[in-house]
């Protein structure tokens, strides 16, 4: 077994936990739909994080070519799935066995943690490029990082519901465009 095959097991487990969190949370919301007071930015942001988890797993493939690993390089790579898991945990609402589920209140209770984890993930992504390639990401990737940072900073500081109703579909659109431009084929 090569080093990346060994290390990728833990990366896949953490990403799998993030996806499990999102899918389990969505299923719980569907089952409790009669008790849910909907706030649609929540499921939209859950979809964004799901897409992000898939894209990250996809984008990690080129690391299979890397032969020399240190604990520091592994740790910085592992931090990306960890941050995706935290995003999933913060955006996925708790669904208690009884009582009304107020998605808006839960969203705004966790919004700084959610958008903060996005900001940390962006920093980790840039740090990973610097540590592993010795350079910043390519300019198109940096533009994507800047757009996501602007969205995350807006979400982090704003408590205005209308702003968040714009941010959710904008996040989905930005991220889908980012993937379409940079990650349509498996990275080499």
């Amino acid at each position: 077994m090569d080093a990346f095959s060994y290390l990728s097991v833990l990366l896949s487990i953490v990403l799998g936990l993030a996806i499990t969190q999102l899918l389990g949370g969505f299923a719980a919301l569907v089952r409790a739909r009669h008790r849910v007071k909907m706030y649609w930015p929540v499921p939209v942001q859950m979809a964004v994080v799901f897409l992000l988890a898939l894209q990250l797993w996809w984008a990690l493939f080129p690391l299979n070519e890397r032969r020399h690993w240190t604990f520091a390089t592994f740790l910085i790579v592992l931090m990306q799935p960890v941050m995706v898991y935290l995003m999933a945990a913060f955006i996925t609402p708790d669904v208690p066995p009884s009582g009304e589920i107020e998605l808006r209140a839960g969203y705004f209770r966790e919004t700084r943690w959610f958008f903060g984890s996005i900001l940390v993930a962006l920093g980790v992504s840039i740090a990973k490029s610097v540590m592993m390639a010795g350079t910043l990401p390519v300019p198109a990737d940096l533009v994507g990082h800047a757009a996501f940072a602007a969205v995350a900073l807006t979400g982090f500081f704003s408590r205005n519901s209308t702003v968040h109703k714009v941010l959710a579909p904008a996040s989905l659109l930005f991220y889908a465009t980012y993937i379409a431009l940079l990650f349509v084929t498996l990275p080499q």
Side-chain angles (χ1 to χ4, degrees):
M1 176 182 283
D2 65 279
F4 183 71
S5 295
Y6 176 75
L7 299 174
S8 68
V9 171
L10 185 55
L11 301 173
S12 298
I13 289 170
V14 176
L15 281 173
L17 289 170
I19 291 170
T20 299
Q21 175 78 26
L22 292 163
L23 296 178
F26 180 75
L29 285 173
V30 169
R31 285 191 303 271
R33 64 189 170 276
H34 63 281
R35 299 184 292 123
V36 174
K37 188 170 178 189
M38 181 55 68
Y39 184 67
W40 64 263
V42 172
V44 172
Q45 292 289 23
M46 288 172 71
V48 171
V49 177
F50 181 77
L51 192 59
L52 197 153
L54 296 178
Q55 181 273 329
L56 178 58
W57 187 72
W58 183 264
L60 289 175
F61 180 76
L63 295 180
N64 73 342
E65 299 293 322
R66 187 175 185 89
R67 297 293 167 236
H68 176 71
W69 285 89
T70 65
F71 188 76
T73 55
F74 173 64
L75 188 60
I76 198 73
V77 171
L78 179 62
M79 287 310 298
Q80 284 185 296
V82 166
M83 296 316 299
V84 171
Y85 172 79
L86 290 174
M87 287 176 222
F90 295 139
I91 197 62
T92 304
D94 290 327
V95 179
S98 63
E100 185 177 75
I101 302 158
E102 171 62 55
L103 291 187
R104 186 180 186 284
Y107 176 84
F108 281 102
R109 183 180 60 248
E110 305 300 340
T111 193
R112 289 213 166 113
W113 286 98
F114 174 65
F115 287 105
S117 63
I118 294 171
L119 291 167
V120 172
L122 290 167
V124 167
S125 176
I126 291 171
K128 183 188 87 173
S129 291
V130 170
M131 278 185 72
M132 299 191 74
T135 183
L136 290 172
V138 297
D141 200 5
L142 279 176
V143 169
H145 281 66
F148 302 133
V151 168
L153 283 167
T154 303
F156 185 87
F157 288 110
S158 176
R159 304 300 280 177
N160 184 304
S161 183
T162 303
V163 169
H164 286 271
K165 287 179 179 179
V166 170
L167 287 180
S171 297
L172 190 57
L173 177 65
F174 287 166
Y175 210 69
T177 302
Y178 175 78
I179 291 170
L181 293 174
L182 298 177
F183 294 99
V184 171
T185 60
L186 200 58
Q188 299 302 315

